[in-house]
Structure formats: C-alpha cells, structure tokens
Amino acid sequence: VGSVLLKGAHNTSDEEFMNVVHTNLFSAFCTVKASVKAMTKQNPKGGSIVLCASAVAQMGLPNHEAIAAAKGGVIGLAKSAAATYAASNVRVNCVAPGLTRTPMTARITGNEAALKASIGMHALGRIAEPDEVAAAIAF
C-alpha cells in the first residue's frame, strides 16, 4: 500500500495530505489492528506483521513532505506495536525501501533525468526491484 505525491507542503491541499495519510498510515494502523486480533485469537503462537514505510521518511528529500510524514508515522507505529504485542508473540517489523521500480513510480522511473537523479541518491548506484523488497518482507 502506498502513494506518491511529490509536492512541497505549500502546494499540497489538505485533501491531498489527508489522502496520503489515509492511504499509508491509516491503512497500516488498520492492518495492525485486524492482524493482532486474528493472531491472538486464532493462533496462540502469535505471528508476524510487516509494514512498508519508505526511506524518504528518514532522508529529508525535497517535495516529499506528505509521504515522509505518513511513512514516518508507519515507522513509529511499527516500533510501538512491536513493543505492545511482543508479550503475545506477535512480531511487528517495517521495511523502508528507497525508490523501487513499480507501476506507481513509473512517472519517476520512466523519466530519464528523474531516474538518473534518483539513482545518484542510492549507494548501490541503482534503484530497487520489487522482488528485492518482497524478499526483505518474506525474510
């Protein structure tokens, strides 16, 4: 679950901001809430919840205010939920990938100049592929 809104705060409407928060943070909260209920009721052995944040929540990139705020909230949610539900043997983790080549990011990855700039921000000299993120989640 996610979204890409690349605008400065001054250009972001309240509706756009709330949509980003709802799509990213509220959905993660609902996932934790429903998952914990199911895991503790049906499986006394517990379980694992993996939430998806984004590296932008910790980097300070221009025009990422809304998504950085929402994904930063997801990171905080994961940390708090991990502490809350550890006694029930429910693990809560969070992956926070950088730019990943997906249909949602095609506007960036499909633009040669934007892709080149993005690659320049990554230590590996490339952007992530979906299967790499999936492997981190599955681990």
Side-chain angles (χ1 to χ4, degrees), residues 31-105:
T31 297
V32 170
K33 184 176 180 178
S35 298
V36 167
K37 285 180 181 181
M39 288 176 186
T40 56
K41 182 178 181 180
Q42 298 172 0
N43 183 5
K45 294 181 181 180
S48 179
I49 300 167
V50 182
L51 302 176
C52 294
S54 172
V56 302
Q58 299 180 41
M59 292 181 64
L61 295 177
N63 299 312
H64 285 71
E65 287 91 321
I67 193 66
K71 292 299 191 176
V74 172
I75 293 168
L77 169 63
K79 289 179 178 183
S80 185
T84 299
Y85 301 112
S88 297
N89 201 29
V90 174
R91 293 178 295 114
V92 183
N93 293 294
C94 186
V95 296
L99 181 63
T100 304
R101 191 181 318 275
T102 67
M104 187 173 26
T105 63

Side-chain angles (χ1 to χ4, degrees), residues 5 9-11 20 26-27 31 33 38 54-55 59 62 66 80-81 85 88 90-91 120 122 124 126 130 133 136:
L5 178 69
H10 69 287
N11 286 324
V20 170
F26 184 68
S27 65
T31 297
K33 184 176 180 178
S54 172
M59 292 181 64
S80 185
Y85 301 112
S88 297
V90 174
R91 293 178 295 114
H122 289 76
L124 292 176
R126 63 180 180 80
V133 178

